[in-house]
Amino acid sequence: MKKNKRSNYFILSLCAWYSLFTLCSCIKSLEDEGIYTSTICSGTIINNQNGNPVEGMRLSMTNGTAILSTTVSGGDGSFSVEVAPADLNHGYYLQAEADSLYGSTRVDLSRMQLGSQFFNLGVVQVEGPKVPTVETLPIDAIAANTAASGGNITSMGGSAVVRRGVCWSTLQLPTIADPHTTDGRGQGEYSSQMTGLSVNTVYYVRAYATNASGTAYGEQRTFATGSGLPTIRTAAGTTAIVTATTITIGGSIDADGGFAVTARGVCYGTQPAPTIAGTHTTDGSGTGLFVSQITGLQSGITYYVRAYATNAVGTVYGEEVTITTSEK
């Protein structure tokens, strides 16, 4: 065909099918590159929000009144669509439609050639769904089977936030398909309480927020639950009341580890590291101070003594002290 010596203008506009208006346009001077009966327009569709390729987006080449050709982006987001213009001075439009809710569209033109009979659009980026923007708050109040966190919704996106909270899992990148809280709605900061956790376990946590366009997640945080065992101290051996056959001593349970202390006392023997598998006293339950009386001992013998506390998780021992009974 004969070359056109005038500057030619190609108007490229990507628009979402449902939006009913052009979301982005570019006007390029084509210089004297020539006019061809067939031109290929190609590129790659990328979700600008997460950098992932957009599969299944339908692209149509139109002259403003009729669709000339169509294609669908592949799994890698790539597409190639043909245009057969009668005159490139006419405005031609690349029209995009998708099943998902895309709020706006942007085109990055890396190069544009007519001499090679194709337009290479480079990367065509779409904003992605207008989901909320949410931050994950730090983890605190960590116990054996509970912990606290929350989120801060800094933007509600394209519509009102109808659900928010945190989700957690022992695997990375938890979603609302995993255990999660529901902590109201709307924008701003909120608190969340995680319950039913396993002891001595590493968890991953993300805040989430849901609106009509979908669910967005905050940054991932991690924490480890406590052992669940009580915290216990053995009374100093110097405070014990000692006779030839008895020792009166005790201990202090400062915390129950998240589970009620069901048994407490002291265990003792003539060998180091005595346990409840051997001789021991039983002195009630619960936390706080307690006193134990060890009887039936031999005079002039050194005994090893440790306080203990038992809950649903297990038994823990305090410091070991050595005490020698009096001579008769």
Side-chain angles (χ1 to χ4, degrees), residues 65-305:
T65 58
I67 293 177
L68 304 178
S69 57
T70 62
T71 189
V72 175
S73 61
D76 60 354
S78 64
F79 68 90
S80 180
V81 61
E82 184 178 23
V83 58
D87 183 353
L88 282 180
N89 286 319
H90 195 291
Y92 290 89
Y93 301 85
L94 183 63
Q95 202 167 259
E97 63 179 83
D99 294 333
S100 54
L101 298 175
Y102 288 92
S104 62
T105 308
R106 186 175 77 242
V107 178
D108 290 341
L109 290 174
S110 59
R111 63 193 175 102
M112 196 170 186
Q113 288 184 242
L114 289 180
S116 300
Q117 301 193 40
F118 67 88
F119 301 125
N120 187 326
L121 302 182
V123 176
V124 179
Q125 299 186 12
V126 294
E127 283 291 329
K130 291 282 189 175
V131 293
T133 302
V134 58
E135 302 170 346
T136 306
L137 296 183
I139 314 299
D140 58 13
I142 300 171
N145 56 3
T146 61
S149 181
N152 182 25
I153 300 173
T154 57
S155 170
M156 291 199 294
S159 58
V161 172
V162 296
R163 188 171 61 165
R164 64 188 190 181
V166 297
C167 47
W168 65 90
S169 173
T170 56
L171 302 177
Q172 295 200 44
L173 302 179
T175 70
I176 55 175
D178 297 304
H180 61 276
T181 66
T182 301
D183 303 295
R185 57 181 63 197
Q187 193 168 352
E189 193 170 302
Y190 59 90
S191 298
S192 303
Q193 184 73 23
M194 293 173 279
T195 60
L197 307 178
S198 298
V199 300
N200 207 26
T201 301
V202 174
Y203 283 97
Y204 300 93
V205 182
R206 293 197 295 176
Y208 75 88
T210 302
N211 67 6
S213 295
T215 299
Y217 298 92
E219 65 273 37
Q220 178 174 273
R221 295 184 181 272
T222 185
F223 72 99
T225 53
S227 67
L229 292 170
T231 302
I232 187 171
R233 292 176 290 150
T234 305
T238 55
T239 64
I241 301 174
V242 182
T243 70
T245 57
T246 65
I247 299 174
T248 302
I249 194 173
S252 175
I253 302 174
D254 301 321
D256 62 10
F259 302 89
V261 173
T262 55
R264 65 187 188 183
V266 295
C267 45
Y268 56 95
T270 57
Q271 298 298 317
T275 69
I276 57 174
T279 51
H280 62 279
T281 66
T282 301
D283 302 291
S285 59
T287 59
L289 296 170
F290 64 91
V291 176
S292 301
Q293 188 172 55
I294 306 170
T295 60
L297 305 177
Q298 298 179 42
S299 63
I301 301 295
T302 297
Y303 288 91
Y304 299 87
V305 181

Side-chain angles (χ1 to χ4, degrees), residues 11 33 40-41 46 53 90 122 131 134 143 162-163 179 201 209 230 252 261 273 311 315 322 324:
I11 302 176
E33 294 291 343
I40 300 299
C41 184
I46 298 294
H90 195 291
V131 293
V134 58
V162 296
R163 188 171 61 165
T201 301
S252 175
V261 173
N311 66 6
T315 299
T322 56
T324 302

Side-chain angles (χ1 to χ4, degrees), residues 55-68:
E55 180 180 7
M57 177 172 278
R58 183 174 297 277
L59 297 109
S60 303
M61 187 63 71
T62 174
N63 60 12
T65 58
I67 293 177
L68 304 178

